[in-house]
Amino acid sequence: MHLTRTRSLPRLDRPRPVEEWKAEQLGVHPAIHGADDRDNDRVFTLPEYLARDHDRRLRHHLDKASGSEQAMLVIVRGASCTGKTRTAFEAVRACLLGWQLIFPKTAEGLLALLNTEALGRRTVLWLNEAQNYLADPEEGEEIAAALRGILEEPGPLVVLGTLWPEYHRSLTTTPRPGRDGADAHPNARALLDHALLVDVPVSFTSETLKDSRLSRDPSLAAALATSTDGRITQTLAAGPQLVDHYQQPTEPHGPYGQAVITAAMDARRLGHTSSLPAALLEAAAPAYLTAEQRAAAPDTWFTDALAYSREKVRGIAAALEPVANPEGMGALPGIYRLSDYLDHHARTARRRTTPPEFFWRAVRDHAGSAADLSALGDSARLRSRFRIAASLYSPVADAGDTRALTQLAWLRIEAGDLDAAEAFAVRAGEHGDAQALTQVALLREKAGETQAAEHLARRAADTHNTEALMNLARLRGKAGDSEGKERLCLWAAEAGDTKALTVLADLHTQAGDLDAAEVFALRAMEAGAAGARADLAKVAERRLEAGDTQGAERLYLRAAEGEDYQALTGLARLREQAGDFDEAATLTLRAARTMHFVPVLTPLAERCEQAGDTCAATRVYLRAIDAGDHMAFVHLVERYLQAGDIQGAEHLYQRAIDAGQAQSLRELAERYEEDGDVRGAQLLYLRAADAGETWSLVHLAKLHERTGDPAVAEAFAVQAAEQRNPMALLHLAEHRGKAGDLDEAVRLFRLCLLVVDAGDRQVLRELTELTEFCQEAGDAQGAERLNLLAVEAGDSKALTVMARRRTQAGDLSGAEEFALRAAENGNPNALTELAERHERDGDPRQAERLYLRAVDAGGRDALAWLAYRCEQSKQTEKADRIALDIARSGASRALAKELVELREQAGDAEGAERLALQAAQAGDNRALRWLTHAREQAGEGFALRAAEAGQHQALARLARLRIQAGHADDAERLYLQSADAGNPLALTWLVDLHAHTGDSERSEHMRKFGLEADGSAAQPWQ
C-alpha cells in the first residue's frame, strides 16, 4: 500500500446563475419511474415536489439572507435519501433566482476556490454532502477555517450545505481530555456551532400522505404504494430496494456480490472515508463467505461479484457506484463508492458487528490512504481490539505519522509494556509530539526508575515540551527531594520554560537562599514569565524580614518597574517608615491603579496625623480626594470644622465640585443627617444638587417628606425625575400609597411615567411592591388599579396578573382581552391558564381555541397540552412531533418523558420506545433513561436498542441481572455486543465480570491486551 500521493492543481469551479443549474448537476438523486417503461431507464426523473414544514423554515432563512448584509451558513441536516439535496435545490430556486451558484466538486477544489476572490456578493456556495469537505483528513480543517473567514465578510452570501446527523455529531463533539486524543475538528466545530440548522424528517407525516399530488405524479404514486412508515423519499431513490438486493442475493453470483457489498459497508462505517479500492474489496470479501462458498468460487468470482454489486436497482441506484474522474471524463479505475443509503443502513444494521480477522488484514494491506488506516485503527481500539488497532496504526506510524506513533505508545502502556511504549513515544517525540513521552516518563518515575524518567523527560523537552520535566519536579518536591526538583526545573528552564524559573525562585526563597532566588526571579522577569515580578517582590519581603532594607528596596524598585502591586505596596511602606509620606502616597496610588480599584489613602493620612505631620496629612487627604476617595473628603472636612476653619471647609467643598465629585458632598450630608444635623445636611444636599448630583435631590425630597413638607418634597422629586432619576417620585408614591392616599400615589406614579422610558424597571418594581402591599392589606380594588397603571407603564407581567384577576372574578371575556395582550407582549402563560379554566368548566372548544393561540405565541406549556390532547385522541404522530420539537429546542420540560410514561402505563410499549429513541436522537435522553429504568428486566432487544441510542447502561443493567440469575455467559455476550457497538466501557465490564467469576488470568489478559476479532481474550502481542 502506498501512503503518499501526488496531486495536480485542482481546476477552479466557476459560478453560474442559479436558474442554469439542473437538479442532477447539484447531486439530487434521480427518482424511480412510475410506469414500467424501459425506454425511460436512462431518463433523469424528477417528481413533483411537496413542500413541507422544513421547506418553509429553510426558505424563511434564505429570504432573510437575500436582504441581509451578512454572509450566512445554512445546513440542511438529515439521514441518507431523505431529500436533503432536493430540499436545498427547490429552496434556492424559490428564493435566490438571479443569484450565482458555485459547486466545488472536491475538497481540494473548494480550498482553492476559498483562496481566490471568486465568491462575490449574491452567491450561493453549494456544499452538497458537506462531510466530504469538512471531514477531509487533509483539507477539512483548513476549509473550515477559510469558511469561517468568509462568513465574517459582508453579504449577501449564502453557504448552503447538506449533512448527515452522524457526521454533524462527529464534527461538533468536543473530545474528552486525555481520552479521545487530539482535537481533530476544532475549526469545523466552531463553524457548525454557528450554522442555521434545518432538519429534514425521515418520513412524511400522515397529513402529507393524504396530499392528492402523491397520486397524480407517477413516481410519487409508485413510491406511496411501495413505502412503509411514510418513507417516500427513500423509496424514490430506491433505498429499500437496494437493501433488498443486498440482503436477498440471487444465485449464482449474488452471495459473492453480497460479500463484496458487506466488506464495503464495514469499511465505510468503520472509518474508510476515501473511495474503496477494488483490491481491498477482493481481499476482504472472503471474510463474509462460508468455507463451502469459498471452495466453490469460480475464477471469475470477483468480477461476477462486482457486476452484481454494480447492478442498478430500478434503473437508478447500485450498491457500488463508479467514482468520476475529478479532472476529466470517465471513471477512475479500480475504485468504487458505496451507495449512501446502504452506508446509512449499515451504520444501524451492522452496528453491533465486529468484522472477522480476514477483513482487518485486508484493510491493513489495501486501505486507500494513511488517514483511512488511522481511522480504522481508531474503530478497532474503540471496540477493544487492541492488537488489530496496533496492526493498523503500524504502517501509518512507519510513514512518520505522529498520531499513529502516539496511539501505539498508549496501547503498549495499557499492555504494561513500558519498553515498547517508550520506543514508540521516542519516535513520536522525534516528530514533535511528546504527549506519550510525558506519560511514559511519569510511569517510569512512579515505578522508581528515576534516571530513566529524567532521560525521557529531557527527550520530551528537546521538542520544547517541558510538561514531563515539570511533572517530575512536582513529584520530587512532594517526596521531599528538593535537589531533584531543582535539577529538573533547571533543565526545563534551559529548554525555555519560563515558569520553571519562577518555581526555582520560589524554591530558593523557601530555602532561604535569597541570592539564588533573586537571580532566578530576575531571569524570569527578563524572560517575561507571568508572576516573576511577584516572586521578586517575595524575595524583597524576605530580605526586609532579614533586616536587609537596602537590598529589599533595590528589588522592590526592579519589580515596581512593571507596576507590580506587591512591590509598590512594599516600597510605599518603606517610604512611610522613612517619613516620606508624599512618596508613600504616590506609590499607593500606583499600586491601586494596577488592581483597578479606588485607592484608599485615608489610613495613610491618619498615620501622618498620628506622627504629628499635619501638613503632610493634609496633602495626602487632598490627593486621596482627587483620586476619588470620598471618605478622605469627609475626614478632612470634619477636621477643618473641628478646628473652626470654615474657610478651609468651604474651599474643600468647591474643590470637590470643580473636580466633578459632588458625590462627596452628598456622602458628607448623609453623615450629618445620620447625626441629626438636618440643617447642615440640607445645605450640603443643596450644594451637591446645584452641582448636578441628582441623588442629593432624592435625599432632599425624602428629608422634606419626613419633616412634613410634601409640596417641597414633590418639587425636589420632580426636579430629580426631570434629570432621569425617578427614585424620589417613586419613594413619595410608595410612602403616600402605604399611608392610605392611593390617589396621590397614582398621581405621582403618572408624573414619573412622563419622564422615564416605557418599561422602566425601577418604576415597575415600585409599582409591584405597592400592589403587593395593597393585596396584603385586603385592598383588592387598589391593587387592581395599580396593576392597570403597571400595564400602562409597559409591564407585560401585569397583563398576566390582570388576566388572572379577571379569571378569578369570573369575567372570562375580560380575562381573555388581557391574556391576548400579554401574549402579544411575549407572555403566553395567561392564555394557557385561561384555556385550563375553560377546560375545567367543561368547554373544550374554547379551551382548544385559546391553547392554539398560546401555541402561536410560543407557549411551551400550551404545546404540551396540545401534545396530551393528541395523545388522548390517538394522534400519536402529531404528539411525537410536538415532543421532539420541544426536545430539539433544549427546553427544560421533559415532555417526551411525560408522554413515554403515559404510553408505557397504557400498554403502548412500541409507541413509548419509538418516542424515547427519537427523543434521544434529538438530544433529550431523559425519556430513554426513564424507560431504561422502568424496563430494567425487559428483553435484550430493547436493551440493545437503548444502547445504540447512547444508553449503554441499559445493557449493563440487563447483564447484571443475568449475572444475579447465574447466567454469566449471557452477561458476557451482552457486554461483547456493547463492545462491538464501539462502547469502550464494555471492556471494563468484561474485565470485572471475569474477575468476579474467579478467572483472574483471563481478566488480566483482557485488561492489558483487549479482545480478538471474534471477542475472545487476546493473548500478549507485539
Coordinates of all heavy atoms in Angstrom, one line a residue, residues 397-433:
A397 N 2.4 4.6 11.2 CA 3.5 5.1 12.0 C 4.8 5.0 11.3 O 5.6 5.9 11.4 CB 3.5 4.3 13.3
D398 N 4.9 3.9 10.5 CA 6.2 3.7 9.8 C 6.3 4.8 8.7 O 7.5 5.1 8.3 CB 6.2 2.4 9.1 CG 6.3 1.2 10.1 OD1 6.8 1.5 11.2 OD2 6.0 0.1 9.8
A399 N 5.2 5.4 8.3 CA 5.3 6.5 7.3 C 5.5 7.8 8.0 O 5.5 8.9 7.4 CB 4.0 6.6 6.5
G400 N 5.7 7.8 9.3 CA 6.1 9.0 10.1 C 4.9 9.8 10.7 O 5.0 10.9 11.1
D401 N 3.7 9.1 10.8 CA 2.6 9.8 11.4 C 2.7 9.8 12.9 O 2.7 8.8 13.5 CB 1.3 9.1 10.9 CG 0.0 9.8 11.4 OD1 -0.4 9.6 12.6 OD2 -0.5 10.6 10.6
T402 N 2.8 11.0 13.5 CA 3.0 11.1 14.9 C 1.8 10.7 15.7 O 2.0 10.1 16.8 CB 3.3 12.6 15.3 OG1 2.2 13.4 14.8 CG2 4.6 13.1 14.7
R403 N 0.6 10.9 15.2 CA -0.6 10.4 16.0 C -0.6 8.9 16.1 O -0.9 8.4 17.1 CB -1.9 10.9 15.3 CG -3.1 10.6 16.1 CD -4.4 11.1 15.4 NE -5.6 10.6 16.2 CZ -6.1 9.5 16.1 NH1 -5.7 8.5 15.3 NH2 -7.2 9.2 16.9
A404 N -0.3 8.2 15.0 CA -0.3 6.8 15.0 C 0.8 6.3 16.0 O 0.6 5.3 16.7 CB 0.0 6.2 13.6
L405 N 2.0 6.9 16.0 CA 3.0 6.5 16.9 C 2.5 6.7 18.4 O 2.8 5.9 19.2 CB 4.3 7.4 16.7 CG 5.1 7.0 15.4 CD1 6.0 8.1 15.1 CD2 5.8 5.7 15.6
T406 N 1.8 7.8 18.6 CA 1.3 8.1 20.0 C 0.3 7.1 20.4 O 0.3 6.6 21.5 CB 0.7 9.5 20.0 OG1 1.8 10.5 19.7 CG2 0.2 9.8 21.4
Q407 N -0.6 6.7 19.4 CA -1.6 5.7 19.7 C -1.0 4.4 20.0 O -1.4 3.6 20.9 CB -2.6 5.6 18.6 CG -3.5 6.8 18.3 CD -4.4 7.1 19.5 OE1 -4.8 6.2 20.2 NE2 -4.6 8.4 19.7
L408 N 0.1 4.0 19.3 CA 0.8 2.8 19.6 C 1.4 2.8 21.0 O 1.4 1.8 21.7 CB 1.8 2.5 18.5 CG 1.3 2.0 17.1 CD1 2.4 2.1 16.1 CD2 0.8 0.6 17.2
A409 N 2.0 3.9 21.3 CA 2.6 4.1 22.6 C 1.5 3.9 23.7 O 1.7 3.2 24.7 CB 3.2 5.4 22.8
W410 N 0.3 4.5 23.5 CA -0.7 4.3 24.5 C -1.2 2.8 24.6 O -1.4 2.4 25.8 CB -2.0 5.2 24.2 CG -1.8 6.6 24.4 CD1 -1.8 7.6 23.5 CD2 -1.5 7.3 25.6 NE1 -1.6 8.9 24.0 CE2 -1.4 8.7 25.4 CE3 -1.4 6.9 26.9 CZ2 -1.2 9.6 26.4 CZ3 -1.1 7.8 28.0 CH2 -1.0 9.2 27.7
L411 N -1.3 2.2 23.5 CA -1.7 0.7 23.5 C -0.6 -0.1 24.3 O -1.0 -1.0 25.1 CB -1.8 0.2 22.1 CG -3.0 0.7 21.3 CD1 -3.0 0.3 19.9 CD2 -4.3 0.1 22.0
R412 N 0.6 0.2 24.1 CA 1.7 -0.6 24.9 C 1.7 -0.2 26.3 O 2.0 -1.0 27.2 CB 3.0 -0.3 24.3 CG 3.2 -0.8 22.8 CD 2.6 -2.1 22.5 NE 3.2 -3.2 23.3 CZ 2.6 -4.4 23.5 NH1 1.5 -4.7 22.8 NH2 3.2 -5.3 24.2
I413 N 1.3 1.1 26.6 CA 1.2 1.5 28.1 C 0.1 0.7 28.7 O 0.2 0.1 29.8 CB 0.9 3.0 28.2 CG1 2.2 3.8 27.8 CG2 0.4 3.4 29.6 CD1 1.9 5.3 27.7
E414 N -1.1 0.5 28.0 CA -2.2 -0.2 28.6 C -1.8 -1.7 28.8 O -2.2 -2.3 29.7 CB -3.4 -0.2 27.6 CG -4.1 1.2 27.5 CD -4.8 1.5 28.8 OE1 -5.2 0.6 29.5 OE2 -4.8 2.7 29.2
A415 N -0.9 -2.2 27.9 CA -0.5 -3.6 28.0 C 0.6 -3.8 29.0 O 1.0 -4.9 29.3 CB 0.0 -4.1 26.6
G416 N 1.1 -2.7 29.6 CA 2.1 -2.7 30.6 C 3.5 -2.9 30.1 O 4.4 -3.2 30.8
D417 N 3.7 -2.7 28.8 CA 5.0 -2.9 28.1 C 5.6 -1.5 28.0 O 5.5 -0.9 26.9 CB 4.7 -3.6 26.8 CG 6.1 -3.9 26.1 OD1 7.1 -3.6 26.6 OD2 6.0 -4.5 25.0
L418 N 6.2 -1.1 29.0 CA 6.8 0.3 29.0 C 8.0 0.4 28.0 O 8.2 1.5 27.5 CB 7.3 0.7 30.4 CG 6.2 1.1 31.4 CD1 6.8 1.7 32.7 CD2 5.3 2.2 30.8
D419 N 8.7 -0.7 27.8 CA 9.8 -0.6 26.9 C 9.3 -0.3 25.5 O 9.9 0.6 24.8 CB 10.6 -1.9 26.9 CG 11.4 -2.1 28.3 OD1 11.6 -1.1 28.9 OD2 11.7 -3.2 28.6
A420 N 8.3 -1.1 25.0 CA 7.8 -0.8 23.7 C 7.1 0.5 23.6 O 7.2 1.2 22.6 CB 6.8 -1.9 23.3
A421 N 6.4 0.9 24.7 CA 5.7 2.2 24.7 C 6.8 3.3 24.6 O 6.5 4.3 23.9 CB 4.9 2.3 26.0
E422 N 7.9 3.1 25.3 CA 8.9 4.1 25.2 C 9.5 4.3 23.8 O 9.7 5.4 23.3 CB 10.0 3.8 26.2 CG 11.2 4.8 26.2 CD 12.2 4.5 27.2 OE1 11.9 3.9 28.3 OE2 13.4 4.8 27.0
A423 N 9.7 3.1 23.1 CA 10.2 3.2 21.8 C 9.3 4.0 20.8 O 9.7 4.8 20.1 CB 10.4 1.8 21.2
F424 N 8.0 3.7 20.9 CA 7.0 4.5 20.1 C 7.0 5.9 20.5 O 6.9 6.8 19.7 CB 5.6 3.9 20.2 CG 5.5 2.5 19.5 CD1 5.1 1.4 20.1 CD2 5.8 2.5 18.1 CE1 5.0 0.2 19.5 CE2 5.6 1.3 17.4 CZ 5.2 0.1 18.1
A425 N 7.0 6.2 21.8 CA 6.9 7.5 22.3 C 8.1 8.4 21.9 O 8.0 9.5 21.5 CB 6.8 7.5 23.9
V426 N 9.3 7.7 21.9 CA 10.5 8.4 21.5 C 10.4 8.8 20.0 O 10.7 9.9 19.6 CB 11.8 7.6 21.7 CG1 13.0 8.1 21.0 CG2 12.0 7.5 23.2
R427 N 9.9 7.9 19.2 CA 9.7 8.2 17.7 C 8.7 9.3 17.5 O 8.9 10.2 16.7 CB 9.3 6.9 17.0 CG 10.4 5.9 16.8 CD 9.8 4.6 16.3 NE 9.2 4.8 15.0 CZ 8.5 3.8 14.3 NH1 8.2 2.7 14.9 NH2 8.0 4.1 13.1
A428 N 7.6 9.3 18.3 CA 6.6 10.3 18.2 C 7.3 11.7 18.6 O 7.0 12.7 18.0 CB 5.4 10.0 19.1
G429 N 8.1 11.6 19.7 CA 8.8 12.8 20.1 C 9.7 13.4 19.0 O 9.8 14.6 18.9
E430 N 10.4 12.5 18.3 CA 11.3 12.9 17.2 C 10.5 13.7 16.1 O 11.1 14.4 15.4 CB 12.0 11.7 16.6 CG 13.0 11.1 17.6 CD 13.6 9.8 17.1 OE1 13.0 9.3 16.1 OE2 14.5 9.3 17.7
H431 N 9.2 13.4 16.0 CA 8.3 14.1 15.1 C 7.6 15.2 15.7 O 6.6 15.8 15.1 CB 7.4 13.1 14.4 CG 8.0 12.1 13.5 ND1 8.7 11.0 13.9 CD2 8.1 12.1 12.1 CE1 9.2 10.3 12.9 NE2 8.8 11.0 11.8
G432 N 7.9 15.5 16.9 CA 7.3 16.7 17.5 C 6.2 16.5 18.5 O 5.6 17.5 19.0
D433 N 5.8 15.3 18.8 CA 4.6 15.0 19.7 C 5.2 14.3 20.9 O 5.5 13.1 20.9 CB 3.6 14.2 19.0 CG 2.3 14.0 19.9 OD1 2.4 14.3 21.1 OD2 1.3 13.5 19.4

